[in-house]
């Protein structure tokens, strides 16, 4: 028996350090249907406070004409942490109270079926399927450079979640994100050429751990890729800037939720 087609639309919510962004995702095109909604991240960003904001965003999106039907609604939620089976296991850049949070339980009163995944995994999935990695064979690794460093490994379109290669040791520093993130570049007032050179060495290091065919550089900093990517040379893999930039997390979250929802139905039907 083969898997049924995905519904046309899903909802993606990207939980970041400063803003929580949501949108209706067109799953055929890998783009947003209509404008995205953004609400500042509550402080402290506890699971309950964030769940309240997710509820507000869903209410707004579901009031739209192009909203997915409630009976097939899949909602994907990203968090900047390791997530296994909808349980958050770490919290390097969010409130500590997320550790051990089971998000299906946390979000159970919200409409739709919710699925949670790592933020970089969501962005990487969207880039690999619809963005810079579309139609590329082999292993595509997206590296998001922001407050932290996130990584996503996608092999022939399939996500291998929670790679977390921003947390490895690099040139004597643990975690690597302490010197490689976009926030570190600003904090250390690093010129672009120096940052490009650092990134080249970091990607070279990643290649030793996980050889890939393509690196995609994501995060807000990818808008400035012409300032640093020219210095990222001599790698085996091709290095490209992300294409979906701001919306990659939302699109990937929606796609992940729709696929997980379909998989759950399929497994139930097999029992
Ligand atoms: C977290 C990752 C996350 C990345 C980007 C890191 O500090 O460990 O889970 O993907 O930041 O937000």
């Amino acid at each position: 028996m083969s898997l049924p087609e995905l519904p046309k639309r899903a909802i993606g919510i990207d939980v970041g350090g400063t803003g929580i962004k949501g949108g209706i995702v067109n799953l055929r095109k890998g783009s947003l249907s209509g404008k995205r909604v953004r609400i500042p991240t509550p402080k402290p960003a506890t699971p309950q406070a964030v769940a309240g904001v997710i509820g507000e965003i869903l209410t707004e999106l579901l009031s739209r004409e192009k909203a997915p039907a409630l009976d097939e609604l899949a909602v994907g939620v990203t968090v900047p942490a390791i997530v296994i089976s909808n349980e958050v296991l770490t919290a390097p850049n969010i409130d500590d109270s997320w550790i051990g949070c089971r998000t299906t339980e946390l979000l159970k009163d919200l409409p739709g079926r919710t699925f949670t995944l790592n933020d970089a995994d969501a962005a990487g999935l969207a880039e690999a399927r619809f963005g810079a990695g579309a139609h590329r064979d082999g292993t595509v690794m997206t590296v998001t450079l922001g407050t932290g460093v996130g990584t996503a490994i996608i092999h022939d379109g399939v996500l291998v979640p929670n790679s977390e290669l921003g947390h490895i040791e690099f040139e004597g520093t643990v975690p690597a994100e302490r010197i490689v993130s976009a926030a570190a570049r600003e904090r250390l007032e690093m010129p672009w050429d120096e940052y490009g050179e650092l990134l080249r060495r970091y990607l070279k290091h990643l290649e030793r751990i996980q050889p890939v065919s393509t690196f995609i550089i994501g995060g807000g900093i990818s808008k400035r890729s012409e300032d640093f990517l020219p210095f990222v040379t001599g790698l085996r893999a091709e290095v490209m800037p992300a294409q979906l930039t701001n919306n990659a997390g939302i699109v990937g979250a929606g796609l992940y939720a729709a696929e997980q929802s379909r998989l759950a139905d399929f497994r139930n039907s097999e029992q």
Side-chain angles (χ1 to χ4, degrees), residues 74-136:
V75 180
V77 176
T78 78
V79 285
I82 295 177
V83 186
I84 297 182
S85 302
N86 298 301
E87 182 179 356
V88 179
L89 299 188
T90 57
N93 293 318
I94 43 167
D95 198 81
D96 278 350
S97 56
W98 278 91
I99 297 175
C101 174
R102 292 175 191 275
T103 57
T104 314
E105 178 63 22
L106 175 74
L107 305 171
K108 71 176 186 312
D109 295 331
L110 300 182
R113 244 172 171 180
T114 63
F115 297 88
T116 306
L117 78 164
N118 172 264
D119 58 353
D121 282 343
L125 196 57
E127 287 293 341
R129 296 277 189 87
F130 299 114
H135 315 300
R136 283 179 172 259

Side-chain angles (χ1 to χ4, degrees), residues 146-205:
T147 311
V149 172
T151 55
I153 299 175
I154 283 93
H155 182 71
D156 288 344
V158 178
L159 171 69
V160 182
N162 299 304
S163 48
E164 289 285 349
L165 298 177
H167 282 256
I168 58 171
E169 179 189 333
F170 170 61
E171 298 186 349
T173 301
V174 194
E177 66 179 10
R178 195 175 298 155
I179 50 171
V180 181
S181 66
R185 190 197 73 82
E186 282 176 26
R187 192 183 67 241
L188 303 169
E189 295 177 8
M190 217 183 281
W192 287 110
D193 55 346
E194 211 178 292
Y195 185 65
E197 176 56 30
L198 177 76
L199 194 59
R200 184 188 71 75
R201 299 198 305 275
Y202 176 60
L203 295 184
K204 194 112 196 126
H205 191 54

Side-chain angles (χ1 to χ4, degrees), residues 8 22 28 30 39 41 77 83 93 124-125 127 140 152 156 164 186 203 220 231 235 238 241 244 255 267-268 270:
K8 193 157 179 232
R28 307 275 188 274
I39 296 183
T41 307
V77 176
V83 186
N93 293 318
L125 196 57
E127 287 293 341
V140 175
D156 288 344
E164 289 285 349
E186 282 176 26
L203 295 184
F231 302 97
L235 294 161
E238 200 174 337
L244 302 171
L255 175 63
R267 286 181 175 150
N268 288 340
E270 294 279 279

Side-chain angles (χ1 to χ4, degrees), residues 145 217-226 228 241-242 245:
L145 304 166
I217 306 302
I221 204 170
S222 60
K223 282 186 231 129
R224 301 288 306 261
S225 57
E226 66 282 5
F228 61 93
T245 53

